[in-house]
């Protein structure tokens, strides 16, 4: 084996041009595969860093008949399931929290989590310094304790072990630091830097809390348990509750309410799985094209070495020995390409943030780890063996005696070699067509998406979030006073034309939904009750975001806590419940109790807006309530400016700090930035597949050129004879071009057939364009055909310039 390796290295060194072209081609293709695999591995394949994470599941409520597939979990539902699902070894409830960390320095917003003490046992994780909190600390009055992330402990507290047992101020309240988690621990993402107990009050444990679903459940399955068993227990619990609570049972029935379970990893990556595998398939196709190109080069190289191989065979080397020799060269070549490909992969991983892949779930774990190195090695070995097997088999099957007699005079390839090279090129063209068609459709789909109107005007808008400490702003009047003061200062900033606030902003991934009633709505028997998206906004929100008024009026400063309760709704709600009627003056009820519900009167109707993404099919109505009539602590500031909104970031911070020096402002972004971030899940695969299809096009064109150039070189004598017998240069050129056209035609037809067979998969990722769009499917072959025919011209010209006398003399 070692002699073969030494010979392979010497042989490749003697042909530096061939070696360089092959290694660079392979480095690009293998490196791209390794880079994309690093994303696939980090997001879809790698387990979470908690022991036995494959047995972790998420449990959530669903209202499918109301258009609400995942509603989170309420505290009573969590308690029912913790006690009633026999398949759970442990379970925990958690909800997001935001803390203002105040000390001697700049006030800092800390992303936190309120969680039951069972979170750490469910994850089977413990603190590296100090301890985590226990059940006794998850009780009201005893819950002012905190566990810090390693990053927060290091960056804010200088990795001082003495921080354990000290108190820190979170949201103006004192919390005792119990412990610090290990450096590699996170939950649910590295953004979370602090965990505090989720203390349930008696009211929160009661049935009255059902439907208040702002939390999430994670559970660990017992060994041998499965999701089907969990689902049976969830259905049993719901049936028992429906019998015990007859007042709520009709609503549960009409809404389709129930509990559902799904693997924790599957739940988190379901929305990106298809896109990532499509990109991986695209880059794998580019690799196959690269392998076919190198295999074609190896075939040509084997023809040039025909005499050498014949001498080895004559001296006793068997076919297996010759194949091993050639396969060793191929594997060495591919391993060199794989090694250089790691540099390409390293560069690619660094460029992923610019493409937007860093915004995908779990993308923070993308790196060149041992799994990626193993994948690269395996990829290089397998492709090296596969690509080298064909040339090795072809070169080793010849007749040594005939080769020795003819090699010095003819030097031409056998018919089977020519056929193999042609077949490889046809395969390259087919794969390139499939990639070009897919990339073209994604480009058209993204262009259609960018033309969609979100229903508001994002240009010139900057947004910022803040969270008011509940202990400091414990009265509605205090929250309203803060909002009024801050907005007054923001409106006074130079260039600001409008400023407002909301509790939930479009294109942030957050949402707030809930059921409501109306004495003016007649719900058919058995139909689900009204359910819509709910926003609390101030009057300045509508002009700041550019929502369009269709009827009535918008909210005004006169809509305060002491005036009539009013609401603005969108046209979807009006059309759904009062088609052809005037919705103004109609009543909405929510809150209070059945005997004395809180009534809100509709005073205006606005156009619907897209909230989650531009490809959203808006089907759920939105209700806008005055912030002054029900103020909360989570605020999003929205400012409209005549200039560049990004320039206002510092001024926004200063304006808020001038109202409350301890109040941090975070997540300051323009509205366009938020929309661009949401679009990244479509932009990234489009850009990547466009890049890979460009590479595939180049490689396929080079493959066509290589086959024709090889053919011309092998048929020089034939062309000389044809010319001597009266053929013109045009006849010879036409002969070569027809050969190229035949390869193109077969490859294009095969590629279109292959794409159509897989078009349903591509169709799931498109928006506004069919997977079989005729214009795109026609454009892909046209682009490739033009490029390939251009590549055919040089061999055709070379063939037409053959000198008959020189050709016959050589023969």
């Amino acid at each position: 084996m070692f002699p073969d390796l030494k010979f392979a290295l010497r042989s490749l060194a003697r042909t530096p041009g061939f070696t360089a072209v092959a290694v660079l081609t392979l480095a690009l293709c293998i490196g791209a595969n390794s880079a994309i695999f690093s994303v696939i591995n980090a997001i879809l394949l790698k387990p979470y860093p908690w022991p036995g994470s494959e047995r972790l599941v998420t449990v959530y409520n669903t209202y499918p008949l109301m258009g609400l597939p995942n509603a989170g979990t309420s505290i009573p539902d969590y308690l029912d399931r913790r006690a009633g699902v026999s398949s759970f070894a442990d379970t925990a409830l958690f909800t997001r929290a935001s803390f203002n960390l105040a000390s001697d320095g700049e006030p800092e917003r800390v992303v936190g989590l309120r969680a039951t003490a069972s979170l750490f046992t469910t994850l089977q994780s413990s603190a590296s310094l100090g301890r985590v909190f226990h059940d006794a600390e998850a009780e009201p009055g005893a819950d002012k304790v905190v566990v810090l992330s390693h990053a927060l402990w290091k960056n804010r507290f200088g990795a001082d072990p003495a921080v354990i047992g000290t108190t820190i101020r979170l949201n103006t309240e004192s919390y005792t630091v119990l412990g610090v988690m290990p450096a590699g621990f996170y939950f649910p993402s590295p953004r979370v830097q602090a965990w505090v107990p989720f203390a349930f009050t008696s009211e929160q444990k009661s049935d009255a809390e059902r439907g208040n679903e702002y939390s999430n459940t994670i559970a660990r399955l017992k060994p041998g348990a499965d999701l089907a068993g969990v689902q049976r227990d969830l259905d049993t619990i719901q049936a028992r509750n429906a019998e015990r609570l007859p007042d709520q049972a009709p609503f549960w029935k009409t809404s389709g309410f129930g509990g559902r379970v799904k693997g924790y990893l599957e739940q988190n990556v379901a929305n990106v799985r298809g896109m990532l595998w499509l990109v991986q398939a695209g880059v794998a196709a580019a690799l196959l094209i690269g392998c076919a190109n190198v295999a074609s080069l190896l075939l040509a190289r084997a023809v040039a070495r025909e005499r050498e191989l014949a001498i080895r065979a004559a001296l006793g080397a068997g076919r297996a020995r010759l194949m091993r020799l050639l396969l060793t060269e191929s594997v060495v070549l591919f391993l060199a390409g794989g090694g250089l490909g790691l540099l390409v992969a390293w560069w690619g991983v660094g460029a992923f943030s610019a493409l937007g892949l860093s915004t995908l779930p779990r993308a923070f774990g993308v790196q060149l780890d041992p799994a990626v190195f193993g994948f690269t090695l395996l990829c290089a070995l397998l492709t090296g063996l596969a690509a080298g097997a064909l040339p090795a088999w072809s070169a080793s099957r010849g007749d040594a005696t005939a080769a020795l007699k003819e090699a010095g005079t003819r030097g031409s390839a056998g018919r089977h070699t020519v056929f193999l090279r042609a077949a490889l090129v046809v395969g390259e063209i087919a794969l390139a067509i499939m990639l070009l068609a897919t990339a073209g459709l994604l480009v058209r789909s993204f262009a259609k998406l960018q033309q969609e109107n979100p229903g508001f005007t994002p240009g010139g808008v900057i947004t910022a979030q803040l969270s008011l400490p509940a202990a400091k702003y414990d009265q509605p009047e205090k929250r309203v006073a803060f909002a009024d003061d801050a907005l007054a200062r923001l409106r006074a900033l130079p260039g600001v034309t409008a400023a407002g606030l909301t509790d939930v902003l479009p294109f942030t991934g957050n949402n707030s939904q809930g059921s409501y009633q109306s004495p003016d709505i007649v719900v058919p028997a058995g139909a689900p009750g009204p359910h819509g998206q709910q926003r609390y906004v101030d009057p300045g929100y509508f002009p700041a975001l550019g929502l369009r008024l269709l009827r009535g009026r918008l909210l005004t400063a006169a809509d305060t806590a002491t005036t009539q309760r009013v609401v603005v709704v969108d046209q979807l709600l009006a059309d759904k419940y009062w088609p052809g009627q005037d919705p103004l003056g109609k009543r909405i009820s929510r809150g209070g109790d059945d005997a004395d519900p809180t009534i809100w009167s509709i005073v205006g109707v606005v156009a619907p807006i897209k909230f989650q993404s531009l490809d959203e099919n808006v089907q759920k109505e939105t209700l806008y309530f005055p912030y002054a009539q029900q103020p909360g602590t989570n605020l999003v500031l929205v400012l409209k400016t005549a200039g560049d909104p990004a320039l206002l970031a510092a001024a926004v911070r200063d304006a808020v700090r001038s109202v409350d020096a301890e109040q941090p402002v975070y997540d300051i972004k323009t509205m366009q930035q938020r929309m661009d971030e949401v679009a990244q899940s479509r932009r990234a695969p489009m850009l990547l597949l466009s890049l890979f299809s460009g590479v595939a096009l180049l490689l396929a064109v080079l493959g066509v050129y290589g086959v024709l150039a090889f053919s011309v070189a092998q048929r020089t004598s034939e062309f000389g004879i044809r010319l001597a017998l009266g053929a013109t240069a045009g006849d010879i050129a036409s002969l070569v071009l027809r050969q190229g056209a035949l390869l193109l035609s077969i490859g294009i037809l095969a590629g279109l057939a292959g794409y159509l067979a897989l078009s349903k998969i591509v169709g799931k990722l498109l928006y506004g364009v069919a997977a079989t769009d005729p214009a795109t499917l026609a454009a892909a072959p046209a682009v490739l055909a033009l490029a390939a025919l251009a590549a055919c011209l040089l061999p055709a010209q070379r063939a037409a310039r053959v000198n008959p006398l020189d050709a016959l003399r050589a023969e």
Side-chain angles (χ1 to χ4, degrees), residues 353-364:
S353 2
L355 290 174
L357 290 178
S358 58
T359 63
L360 298 180
R362 305 186 74 208
F364 53 82

Side-chain angles (χ1 to χ4, degrees), residues 426-427 429-431 433-434 744-756:
V426 167
I429 294 170
L431 288 172
I433 286 291
M434 295 173 69
L744 272 174
S745 300
I746 298 174
I748 286 172
L749 290 175
L752 288 175
Y755 170 79
L756 291 174

Side-chain angles (χ1 to χ4, degrees), residues 290-619:
C291 289
N293 247 348
V294 174
S296 184
L297 291 174
L298 290 172
L299 276 169
R301 177 180 168 84
V303 169
R305 298 172 62 187
E306 189 179 58
R307 181 177 178 82
E308 172 204 334
L309 297 175
I311 293 174
R312 287 178 176 274
L315 293 176
R319 186 175 182 185
R321 180 73 182 82
L322 293 177
M323 287 189 66
R324 192 179 76 187
L325 179 70
L326 296 174
L327 276 175
T328 301
E329 286 189 19
S330 174
V331 170
V332 168
L333 200 63
F334 275 72
L335 286 176
L340 191 58
L342 285 174
L343 294 178
V344 175
W346 175 80
W347 175 85
V349 168
F352 283 155
S353 2
L355 290 174
L357 290 178
S358 58
T359 63
L360 298 180
R362 305 186 74 208
F364 53 82
V366 175
Q367 58 181 331
L368 297 184
D369 59 12
V372 177
F373 284 107
F375 172 83
T376 305
L377 176 62
L378 186 64
C379 189
L381 284 174
L382 292 181
T383 53
L385 290 171
L390 201 58
W393 171 79
S394 176
S396 63
R397 66 191 292 272
D399 183 347
T401 303
L404 286 172
K405 289 179 180 179
E406 299 178 6
T409 59
R410 180 172 59 87
S412 62
R415 183 173 299 175
H416 66 279
T417 300
V418 174
F419 173 78
L420 287 178
R421 293 200 71 189
L424 288 172
V425 169
V426 167
E428 291 181 45
I429 294 170
L431 288 172
I433 286 291
M434 295 173 69
L435 265 178
L436 283 169
T438 302
L441 286 167
L442 288 177
V443 169
R444 288 202 63 197
S445 173
F446 190 76
K448 288 269 189 182
L449 191 64
Q450 294 302 98
Q451 295 169 3
E452 282 291 323
N453 181 6
F456 56 87
T457 309
V461 175
I462 188 170
T463 65
Q465 299 195 51
L466 51 91
S467 180
L468 301 179
K472 184 175 184 178
Y473 295 92
D474 55 347
Q475 298 297 321
E477 296 80 6
K478 295 181 181 180
R479 299 169 201 157
V480 172
F482 172 87
D484 289 345
D485 197 356
L487 288 173
R489 294 170 189 260
L490 292 170
R491 290 171 184 140
L493 293 176
V496 172
T497 58
L501 64 81
T502 180
D503 62 332
V504 183
L505 186 72
F507 292 85
T508 58
N510 298 326
N511 205 351
S512 176
Q513 305 182 62
S515 298
Y516 61 93
Q517 298 78 38
S518 171
D520 300 317
I521 294 176
V522 178
V523 179
H531 187 272
Q533 301 179 128
Q534 300 171 359
R535 312 284 180 259
Y536 292 94
V537 303
D538 93 307
Y541 175 75
F542 298 100
L545 205 56
L547 272 67
R548 187 161 53 96
L549 179 66
L550 302 178
R551 187 190 294 263
R553 70 171 176 87
L554 298 173
L555 302 179
T556 70
D559 298 317
T560 66
T562 59
T563 61
Q564 179 189 13
R565 292 184 179 271
V566 296
V567 62
V568 172
V569 302
D570 67 5
Q571 190 64 46
L572 280 176
L573 188 150
D575 291 342
K576 182 182 291 187
Y577 295 113
W578 303 296
Q581 302 180 44
D582 185 358
L584 300 181
K586 302 292 187 182
R587 295 162 295 172
I588 299 293
S589 65
R590 54 185 299 274
D593 53 43
D594 294 339
D596 184 24
T598 303
I599 300 295
W600 311 70
S601 296
I602 296 177
V603 296
V605 179
V606 295
I609 68 172
K610 298 198 173 191
F611 195 78
Q612 299 293 349
S613 63
L614 283 174
D615 60 350
E616 179 183 3
N617 181 17
V618 184
Q619 296 181 326

